[in-house]
Amino acid sequence: MIHPTSLEELQSAVRELDRVIVRGSGTKSAMSSSANLSTADLSGILEYDPSEFTFTARAGTRISEVKELLAKSGQYLPFDPPFVQAGGTLGGTIAAGLSGPGRFRYGGVRDFLLGIRFVTGDGEIHAGGGKVVKNAAGFDSPKLMTGARGAFGVIGEVTFKVFPEPREYQTVIVSFPTADEAIPLMARLAMSNFELACLDFVMPGQLQLRVGGLHESLERRVDRIKSFIGRTCEVRSGSDDEQVWHNAREFTWVPSDATLIKVAINPRQIVEIERSLEKSSASHVDRRYSVGGNVLWLAWPNEKTSEKLGRLLTSWNLPGVAVRGEPWGILGPQNKGDVFQQRLSSVFDPLNKFQRNDRRTANSH
Amino acid sequence: MTQAFVEAIRAIYPTDRCLTGKAELAPYESDGLTAFRVHPIGVVLPTTSEEVIASIRLCHQPGIPFVVRGSGTSLSGGSVPIDGGLVIGLNKMNKILRYSPEERIAVVQPGVINMRVSQAVAAEGLYYAPDPSSATVCTIGGNVAFNSGGAHCLKYGMTSNHVLGLKVVLPDGEVVEVGADSLEQVGADLVGMFVGSEGLFGCAVEITLRLLPKPEKYYTVQAAYKSLAQAGEAVSLIVASGLLPGAIEIMDRLAMDASDAAVQANYPKDAKAILIVELEGPTEEVDAETPTLLKLIEESGAYRIDVAKDAAERLKIWTGRKCAFSAVGRLSPDFIVQDGVVPRTKLGYALAEIDRISTESGIPVANVFHAGDGNLHPLILFNGREEGALERAEEVASEILRLCIKLGGSITGEHGVGLEKRAFIEEMFGKKDTDFMRQIRAAIDSAEIANKGKMFPDLQAPALTHRGLHPIEQQGIAFRN
């Protein structure tokens, strides 16, 4: 494993290696188990001016360090990156394309990433995007890097947009006997103008929603939401509120012998997914519908095999990516954007250095 | 070759949707950047994706360049035709294909007008957030190609942040689908890479949009200041306070005069700057934030503060702001609009520099800007009938763009590079990264025919002419942002 400490060393490393799989701090183990290049030592916050709402840091910087610094000025990362306590890095979060439950309010990692410096497959350092909060010049390569698992380059330096963080939060929890009853309420809440910070449905039957804002208004906002729901609600505040979302962000609910799978879904598909899991005797699999039902986090038991999961995902016509656990890559249906992706790969990775062994990468079919 | 091409194109379309006569082509010679005019060989108006695909495939083989356009409101000349090229006008592909309020999405064809999306979903309390000033005429397809912005980008981002999926016809006629109908994605964000590619990656024929719940309450304040610096100071105070307004806008005296002339906005006569701040959200939250905002505005030295009491007053404030650009046409026969970005903390310095450039050159510059994002909009006024005036105005525009680059900003916040700023792309990104982007373009479009001559400097450059306002602006239908 090579541990570059500067962009130039990162460039040399990419030039030396025939094949490059990058690892930040290894929190997304399913994506980095075969890594030969680490950005863990390529770290440090380079620029931060709270009044700009932006910061620039090296890719291996731990998110916990960023959060701590931002908090001093009352700011935060609105996309709510996961694996913070576990040690997740900025670069790893971008490459894995992961956002947490808090992305419900303002958007995901792609929406807050402004600029990037990266090393291409032929060992050149390039920049894309910019360092200001608004920029429409040139091709948006920062977005291309998001979720690409390193297929287009090794991320060296990143610039993010940040926001002032709500001063206080409260969480409302509602229990349901079945998903069928909870899902329509989740849709109504997602359409409402309550401006929820988070909206998750945790199987077997708990709707969890978070409200953030000023102390003066929070109580009244929560009361109005409770009467909108019209059922018995449990309200959590302070550290009890934080605990709920810490557990979601750190995936404390995923058993150690399971692989964490991310599936991007549309909320209307939840009912079908639930039926299908039941039919294939998988209704006991731990899972969470996050971001108002736009993400399914599935803790797939390793003993149940990736083939079985792949068949399920194909039947839903939804790709899923292994995040932590077994290195299963992307499972499920073929990507309909492959031609576009291949053409981009021919420029970002002309020597196929970033190609992965799993079935679905930029250059293999 | 051209004749054979024209015949092949004619075979796809009925005569009323395939224009080749000189008079028929005239409306398509230009766009929002009226200084450029080019005569295309023909204009086709497809009604289906299949017609778009067939047209692009026909162009690819002989290497006939093409420009896809919507309403032609581009302020960077992004939809100006290419000499000897085809124009594919998508205004007839204007259907909302699917709308699901529960899923908060709408799937639209590219010719759908921006404002129509919000109108179509209003009954369910939803809206489409990006609001360029041309929203009443510009199309979603054009917004996607140029990653359009608007006044509310600070909080909600640009077009790119509101597009979930695309069906795209690549420049050789290959069709790909990227993204889907979820807020999240698995795999590389190809949607994000396509949005803002200025037509160089081909054209989107189906677009899945994210809709947002309309905020329950808006609180719109308009404050008058005796100096531009004070208004700028107010922005810094607001940003530092922890508030996150939906919009923070500033207009200078010249811009106010223009707006006054056009829509009788009635700005205080002795004001040197107007600040518009809009809070939005749940009623309780907005009510709790209001005292902080008012206190900051008072502290910053505002001598008159007006709060919109209802939707009509809010609209009046925004109309005054949004019409400012086109209204400048009432003060000056011609003008150039730039949309460079500077880091917000450098706004004061940038405005002082623009003032210096204006004074030294003797060319008046009006300023209207998205202060919250540091997105400037200097309007450089000139009279094109005067010998060399256009060139002198262009020189002022160039100096302002260089200032934005020097301060670490961008040459464009929302209008795109297009034809207008292509000479500056290399100054912003450097030769190496510009060449890399050219390689990307060549990989996507081996014949380099899709919106040829835009974004990157090219040998073919249409001559600049002065032409005044676009006809739709003269009629007051649409405004510039």
Side-chain angles (χ1 to χ4, degrees):
Chain A
M1 184 87 78
I2 306 177
H3 287 81
T5 59
S6 68
L7 213 53
E8 291 67 32
E9 284 180 24
L10 183 68
Q11 179 180 30
S12 312
V14 173
R15 285 181 174 175
E16 269 168 42
L17 297 166
D18 296 329
R19 187 186 128 272
V20 180
I21 302 287
V22 185
R23 195 184 118 131
S25 57
T27 56
K28 276 76 80 178
S29 55
M31 296 177 170
S32 62
S33 58
S34 57
N36 56 357
L37 178 61
S38 164
T39 56
D41 295 338
L42 185 65
S43 73
I45 297 161
L46 305 171
E47 292 170 37
Y48 171 50
D49 182 345
S51 51
E52 291 294 353
F53 282 6
T54 60
F55 73 89
T56 299
R58 293 197 186 92
T61 309
R62 291 191 174 215
I63 290 161
S64 52
E65 186 188 334
V66 175
K67 279 184 89 162
E68 209 174 293
L69 180 69
L70 295 178
K72 286 179 187 159
S73 302
Q75 296 183 338
Y76 77 135
L77 293 162
F79 62 95
D80 193 13
F83 300 113
V84 180
Q85 195 186 52
T89 64
L90 293 168
T93 305
I94 297 165
L98 298 187
S99 307
R103 74 95 71 212
F104 181 72
R105 177 73 186 93
Y106 292 114
V109 57
R110 72 184 294 273
D111 299 303
F112 286 87
L113 178 61
L114 299 172
I116 201 159
R117 293 183 77 196
F118 57 95
V119 180
T120 53
D122 51 358
E124 294 297 328
I125 299 171
H126 284 291
K131 287 187 172 177
V132 280
V133 295
K134 197 174 183 186
N135 172 26
F139 299 136
D140 204 343
S141 50
K143 288 207 171 52
L144 180 66
M145 299 285 164
T146 311
R149 297 182 301 146
F152 295 104
V154 185
I155 303 165
E157 196 181 293
V158 298
T159 300
F160 275 100
K161 171 163 122 171
V162 300
F163 277 165
E165 176 155 35
R167 300 274 167 82
E168 202 174 311
Y169 291 103
Q170 284 192 8
T171 291
V172 179
I173 296 175
V174 204
S175 295
F176 290 87
T178 64
D180 288 14
E181 281 181 69
I183 301 313
L185 176 62
M186 182 156 74
R188 281 173 57 221
L189 285 164
M191 278 173 71
S192 76
N193 52 22
F194 293 131
E195 300 204 346
L196 301 175
C198 309
L199 177 60
D200 278 22
F201 182 64
V202 187
M203 291 300 291
Q206 211 177 60
L207 199 58
Q208 302 176 344
L209 43 119
R210 194 180 204 196
V211 197
L214 294 172
H215 176 75
E216 303 90 284
S217 59
L218 204 54
E219 209 72 44
R220 274 173 293 147
R221 287 176 65 195
V222 168
D223 283 346
R224 200 141 64 94
I225 291 165
K226 277 159 65 183
S227 66
F228 178 88
I229 292 170
R231 299 174 75 109
T232 312
C233 300
E234 186 193 331
V235 178
R236 297 204 185 157
S237 52
S239 58
D240 292 339
D241 156 84
E242 177 48 34
Q243 192 63 45
V244 173
W245 303 103
H246 171 86
N247 293 348
R249 210 177 282 135
E250 302 296 330
F251 294 94
T252 55
W253 53 276
V254 177
S256 58
D257 57 352
T259 293
L260 176 65
I261 307 290
K262 174 189 167 182
V263 191
I265 65 169
N266 178 291
R268 73 163 186 283
Q269 293 161 314
I270 298 174
V271 174
E272 178 203 332
I273 291 170
E274 283 300 309
R275 299 266 183 284
S276 158
L277 285 170
E278 206 169 304
K279 254 199 289 184
S280 44
S281 328
S283 51
H284 62 284
V285 172
D286 290 306
R287 59 200 180 276
R288 181 180 189 109
Y289 294 96
S290 191
V291 194
N294 280 272
V295 186
L296 163 61
W297 294 108
L298 207 52
W300 193 254
N302 294 340
E303 60 181 34
K304 284 181 94 78
T305 76
S306 63
E307 286 74 23
K308 190 171 177 195
L309 175 61
R311 280 194 298 277
L312 264 179
L313 289 165
T314 304
S315 76
W316 303 339
N317 196 25
L318 292 168
V321 63
V323 175
R324 194 177 73 186
E326 294 297 314
W328 290 338
I330 297 182
L331 302 164
Q334 275 295 324
N335 186 347
K336 289 175 183 162
D338 276 352
V339 175
F340 187 44
Q341 185 154 328
Q342 278 163 34
R343 291 182 192 178
L344 292 168
S345 273
S346 71
V347 182
F348 286 86
D349 183 23
L351 309 170
N352 289 336
K353 278 194 183 182
F354 303 139
Q355 191 175 334
R356 281 172 181 264
N357 291 327
D358 64 57
R359 176 167 78 77
R360 284 270 307 283
T361 63
N363 295 295
S364 68
H365 293 274
Chain B
M1 183 177 68
T2 307
Q3 193 51 42
F5 173 76
V6 170
E7 273 165 33
I9 277 287
R10 278 204 181 115
I12 304 176
Y13 295 91
T15 49
D16 62 330
R17 293 196 286 110
C18 183
L19 319 175
T20 49
K22 201 165 186 235
E24 291 177 312
L25 297 179
Y28 297 91
E29 285 176 2
S30 187
D31 64 5
L33 183 69
T34 51
F36 294 101
R37 294 209 170 183
V38 178
H39 199 68
I41 55 170
V43 175
V44 292
L45 304 170
T47 55
T48 64
S49 299
E50 289 68 32
E51 287 180 344
V52 176
I53 296 163
S55 307
I56 290 179
R57 285 187 182 158
L58 267 184
C59 289
H60 177 69
Q61 182 48 31
I64 302 275
F66 64 89
V67 178
V68 181
R69 64 171 260 167
S71 300
T73 56
S74 172
L75 292 173
S76 57
S79 52
V80 170
I82 302 152
D83 191 23
L86 182 72
V87 172
I88 302 174
L90 296 183
N91 296 72
K92 289 185 190 292
M93 288 179 64
N94 58 2
K95 290 185 188 62
I96 295 176
L97 302 172
R98 187 164 98 79
Y99 164 45
S100 173
E102 294 78 18
E103 299 162 36
R104 298 196 303 166
I105 60 158
V107 183
V108 305
Q109 289 187 317
V112 169
I113 303 290
N114 173 301
M115 185 77 96
R116 230 194 98 212
V117 179
S118 288
Q119 285 166 351
V121 305
E124 288 75 30
L126 300 175
Y127 80 119
Y128 174 64
D131 64 338
S133 289
S134 54
T136 50
V137 273
C138 68
T139 64
I140 296 293
N143 294 172
V144 167
F146 281 80
N147 196 12
S148 306
H152 293 78
C153 294
L154 175 63
K155 195 167 180 176
Y156 295 109
M158 319 218 302
T159 299
S160 187
N161 307 110
H162 301 270
V163 177
L164 305 180
L166 295 167
K167 183 175 170 186
V168 168
V169 186
L170 296 175
D172 56 351
E174 277 266 8
V175 180
V176 293
E177 284 176 43
V178 294
D181 54 4
S182 173
L183 290 179
E184 278 284 325
Q185 299 187 45
V186 161
D189 184 2
L190 299 174
V191 175
M193 186 62 177
F194 183 85
V195 177
S197 56
E198 303 202 358
L200 272 61
F201 292 169
C203 112
V205 287
E206 277 179 29
I207 302 154
T208 304
L209 300 175
R210 163 169 88 122
L211 305 170
L212 296 181
K214 198 160 192 275
E216 184 177 29
K217 180 169 182 174
Y218 290 99
Y219 182 85
T220 313
V221 193
Q222 182 172 288
Y225 290 86
K226 291 279 167 62
S227 82
L228 199 52
Q230 280 181 317
E233 180 56 25
V235 176
S236 304
L237 289 173
I238 293 163
V239 164
S241 72
L243 293 174
L244 183 60
I248 310 176
E249 304 279 306
I250 291 179
M251 294 166 77
D252 72 1
R253 184 68 246 174
L254 204 47
M256 280 184 261
D257 288 344
S259 248
D260 259 338
V263 295
Q264 291 79 48
N266 297 323
Y267 297 109
K269 291 284 170 266
D270 47 354
K272 289 283 186 295
I274 283 286
L275 170 74
I276 299 168
V277 185
E278 187 163 270
L279 297 173
E280 36 159 67
T283 304
E284 300 90 342
E285 193 65 14
V286 172
D287 289 349
E289 289 174 346
T290 305
T292 310
L293 177 65
L294 286 179
K295 187 163 165 281
L296 292 172
I297 291 178
E298 278 164 19
E299 279 172 11
S300 64
Y303 74 97
R304 185 175 143 180
I305 300 169
D306 294 300
V307 177
K309 285 187 276 297
D310 52 32
E313 288 194 11
R314 174 179 180 244
L315 185 68
K316 190 168 175 247
I317 290 176
W318 279 113
T319 304
R321 159 62 187 88
K322 291 200 173 186
C323 83
F325 283 24
S326 307
V328 165
R330 297 185 181 239
L331 303 183
S332 169
D334 300 284
F335 61 94
I336 295 172
V337 185
Q338 289 294 348
D339 77 314
V341 183
V342 297
R344 188 168 30 223
T345 48
K346 309 258 171 64
L347 259 180
Y349 175 77
L351 291 168
E353 279 296 287
I354 292 172
D355 191 45
R356 182 187 61 78
I357 295 166
S358 168
T359 310
E360 281 175 11
S361 63
I363 295 173
V365 178
N367 285 289
V368 186
F369 49 97
H370 305 309
D373 325 296
N375 190 187
L376 304 167
H377 284 109
L379 296 125
I380 301 146
L381 314 186
F382 68 100
N383 182 352
R385 287 173 211 284
E386 285 170 20
E387 180 73 28
L390 172 64
E391 289 71 19
R392 287 194 297 277
E394 286 280 319
E395 191 42 49
V396 167
S398 302
E399 269 195 72
I400 294 173
L401 288 183
R402 293 202 174 97
L403 173 69
C404 294
I405 296 170
K406 193 181 88 184
L407 294 177
S410 170
I411 54 174
T412 173
E414 54 190 3
H415 300 170
V417 177
L419 203 53
E420 189 201 24
K421 291 181 282 284
R422 55 189 190 158
F424 295 90
I425 189 112
E426 202 168 300
E427 281 188 49
M428 178 172 166
F429 287 101
K431 184 168 183 342
K432 193 179 167 192
D433 289 330
T434 308
D435 286 349
F436 185 66
M437 285 194 274
R438 280 180 186 270
Q439 281 179 49
I440 296 171
R441 187 267 176 95
I444 302 294
D445 178 10
S446 55
E448 303 196 23
I449 53 173
N451 219 1
K452 186 184 174 70
K454 313 294 167 65
M455 199 187 288
F456 305 113
D458 188 78
L459 294 175
Q460 282 188 332
L464 277 174
T465 54
H466 77 89
R467 297 281 184 161
L469 286 181
H470 197 277
I472 57 170
E473 288 173 286
Q474 288 168 359
Q475 291 163 32
I477 298 167
F479 306 124
R480 289 165 193 246
N481 206 332

